[in-house]
Amino acid sequence: MNASLNDALGSKKTFLIAVPTQKYPEVSLDLASTLDHKFSRIAYISLNKLITPLKRSLQGKGINMNKFFFIDGITKTAIPNPPEDPNSIFIPEPNDLTKLSIAITKTMQNFDPDCFFFDSLSTLMVYEDMNIIIQFVHSIVNKINAYGAKIVFTCLAEGEKEAQLIRDLSLILDMVIRVE
Amino acid sequence: MAEINELSSFEIDALKETANIGTGNASIALSALLNQKVLLTLPETNIINAEEVSKKISGQNQSLVGIYTKAKEGLDGNILLLFPITDALNLIENVRKGGSTEKKDSLSGEDLIIMKKLGAVLCSAYLTSLAKFFEQRIIFQQPNVISVLGDSIADFMISQIGDKEKVLLITVGFNTESKKVNGDFVLLFTLSSLNPLLQKLKQKMGMN
């Protein structure tokens, strides 16, 4: 997976990585590591893992945290007033798509990333129906494309809904990679 | 106050019983909401360092929906009710009692409100029984609905707790008579916050 993604990151702009549930934690770290090697400034959109354990996991993998900025959509569900962090924006809930979109714009303006990592669309699927998710992905892909950065989305590989999501997004995104 | 690192067998048994009281009350509340029996498994109780929690409640290699709350006064700990998404949707459909029959696969805004209210009812049932038993005021924060995968569950449970802090971890499975709603109560409290409650218990039993 890393080899195909690494090669494609040079020429293509938008990606979906479909990951088996059992491998998800390990693969999402590998992806972050790949992006760390490839880019100088990465915006990590996290809807699944609280920020402190996420940073700890990334540091444990030897990832350079100075290259990362976080848009965190999960920590406030556990800690209503998280400590201020100059390298993070916190949004109240993972399904607050308006605030998420605004946070992405602010990140472009203030951090100037060359790549976004969206972890994960499967979390959004708990809260929103397929049409809303597709529209949202379309909207942020257009925004990020116009800005000139790349974006890597993740989702789980199993399930009817996920299969439909992957089919629909393959029409919008440059490349879909299925992890075996 | 001296740090708690060990508990006597009486204290462990007392804490297990209070956990049973709490989950029993919460299951009665759930049963009333769903108008069907709710069956509980035997609680699994562990006293461990917070950093070991992920070994006990990870391995949930599926995407789950949870109702999460944190006790903020009277106790120091977290409560999580966990369901696979299909069971969460069945739960909501049961609570609605004949709402929309349209097949759904995600939680609408209204569903999230229902789940948060459910969470408040169940957590209140759990913590109120503890508060009455220990004659202690216990308040929890407004529950939130979360979607978690894998080891993220442990992250929620030990958020704002130091890695080396000793915690009491209780997991109780439940399912409804219809088998359409299956889930877990996961409760985690720091031992240091339980100490005053244990002292009160001993006083009640004339053991101090």
Side-chain angles (χ1 to χ4, degrees):
Chain A
M1 183 265 306
N2 280 337
S4 350
L5 179 62
N6 228 349
D7 291 339
L9 278 169
S11 53
K12 299 188 194 299
K13 293 183 185 176
T14 58
F15 303 84
L16 175 65
I17 317 293
V19 186
T21 315
Q22 300 263 357
K23 293 189 175 180
Y24 193 87
E26 162 204 337
V27 169
S28 62
L29 274 181
D30 283 344
L31 283 169
S33 180
T34 301
L35 299 180
D36 175 42
H37 284 112
K38 196 81 182 173
F39 298 104
S40 347
R41 301 171 80 75
I42 303 119
Y44 193 128
I45 303 168
S46 170
L47 304 187
N48 188 47
K49 206 164 170 71
L50 300 180
I51 194 160
T52 303
L54 172 62
K55 284 186 175 180
R56 203 181 307 142
S57 300
L58 295 172
Q59 281 166 332
K61 191 88 179 156
I63 287 169
N64 182 352
M65 301 302 294
N66 292 329
K67 288 187 179 181
F68 280 75
F69 186 89
F70 297 90
I71 299 173
D72 180 296
I74 190 74
T75 296
K76 273 195 158 184
T77 59
I79 305 166
N81 297 303
E84 281 203 23
D85 181 344
N87 289 333
S88 307
I89 294 176
F90 295 100
I91 59 173
E93 287 170 322
N95 58 322
D96 194 332
L97 299 184
T98 306
K99 289 206 170 97
L100 182 50
S101 192
I102 293 170
I104 290 171
T105 305
K106 274 194 183 163
T107 303
M108 287 185 215
Q109 290 163 348
N110 300 334
F111 182 66
D112 188 24
D114 32 39
C115 182
F116 284 81
F117 179 40
F118 194 110
D119 175 17
S120 73
L121 290 174
S122 290
T123 307
L124 273 189
M125 276 165 58
V126 171
Y127 303 100
E128 298 291 353
D129 68 34
M130 197 64 61
N131 289 335
I132 304 282
I133 295 177
I134 302 293
Q135 282 173 31
F136 174 70
V137 169
H138 211 261
S139 151
I140 59 170
V141 161
N142 285 342
K143 189 186 324 206
I144 291 171
N145 267 340
Y147 176 74
K150 312 222 177 198
I151 182 160
V152 178
F153 294 94
T154 62
C155 73
L156 297 177
E158 297 102 350
E160 256 180 63
K161 279 176 66 176
E162 282 76 7
Q164 188 193 334
L165 178 74
I166 293 165
R167 269 195 307 272
D168 291 348
L169 289 183
S170 67
L171 302 173
I172 303 175
L173 305 176
D174 292 336
M175 189 169 188
V176 175
I177 298 175
R178 292 172 191 272
V179 176
E180 298 299 327
Chain B
M1 190 185 298
E3 229 178 83
I4 282 199
N5 286 312
E6 300 293 334
L7 291 175
S8 67
S9 56
F10 165 78
E11 287 166 331
I12 292 170
D13 286 341
L15 289 171
K16 280 185 182 175
E17 280 311 305
T18 53
N20 283 336
I21 293 168
T23 45
N25 272 316
S27 70
I28 289 168
L30 185 60
S31 183
L33 282 168
L34 301 180
N35 198 28
Q36 53 180 301
K37 266 192 203 165
V38 172
L39 308 164
L40 299 177
T41 62
L42 280 175
E44 189 184 327
T45 309
N46 292 282
I47 295 171
I48 50 179
N49 288 339
E51 62 190 354
E52 295 169 75
V53 168
S54 61
K55 291 179 201 160
K56 293 288 178 188
I57 59 173
S58 68
Q60 302 259 17
N61 283 319
Q62 55 176 321
S63 186
L64 298 166
V65 173
I67 306 171
Y68 167 81
T69 187
K70 184 174 174 53
K72 58 182 188 180
E73 188 183 317
L75 266 183
D76 187 9
N78 304 300
I79 300 173
L80 187 57
L81 279 78
L82 277 174
F83 313 85
I85 179 70
T86 44
D87 294 55
L89 291 167
N90 288 337
L91 176 67
I92 291 164
E93 191 188 334
N94 266 292
V95 168
R96 275 212 179 114
K97 290 184 176 67
S100 167
T101 53
E102 187 189 323
K103 191 181 172 204
K104 291 172 58 173
D105 53 15
S106 61
L107 299 170
S108 66
E110 197 183 330
D111 293 338
L112 291 175
I113 293 170
I114 292 174
M115 282 200 85
K116 287 182 186 182
K117 285 185 179 171
L118 260 173
V121 166
L122 297 177
C123 293
S124 177
Y126 184 91
L127 292 171
T128 301
S129 61
L130 287 191
K132 276 188 186 165
F133 185 78
F134 287 114
E135 295 165 9
Q136 168 80 35
R137 181 177 147 99
I138 301 174
I139 298 176
F140 58 92
Q141 72 187 25
Q142 174 72 19
N144 266 320
V145 178
I146 57 173
S147 169
V148 283
L149 175 69
D151 55 4
S152 299
I153 301 164
D155 295 339
F156 273 91
M157 297 311 286
I158 60 172
S159 71
Q160 298 182 296
I161 295 175
D163 279 351
K164 300 296 178 192
E165 179 112 36
K166 283 275 190 200
V167 296
L168 172 68
L169 176 69
I170 302 165
T171 48
V172 182
F174 65 89
N175 57 71
T176 56
E177 216 170 8
S178 66
K179 307 285 184 205
K180 284 187 179 177
V181 180
N182 302 284
D184 290 290
F185 284 111
V186 185
L187 306 125
L188 185 145
F189 302 109
T190 59
L191 288 197
S192 52
S193 72
L194 288 169
N195 189 33
L197 304 181
L198 285 169
Q199 295 310 314
K200 279 193 182 176
L201 180 63
K202 285 178 181 174
Q203 277 170 10
K204 272 182 132 176
M205 300 189 71
M207 292 175 73
N208 265 2

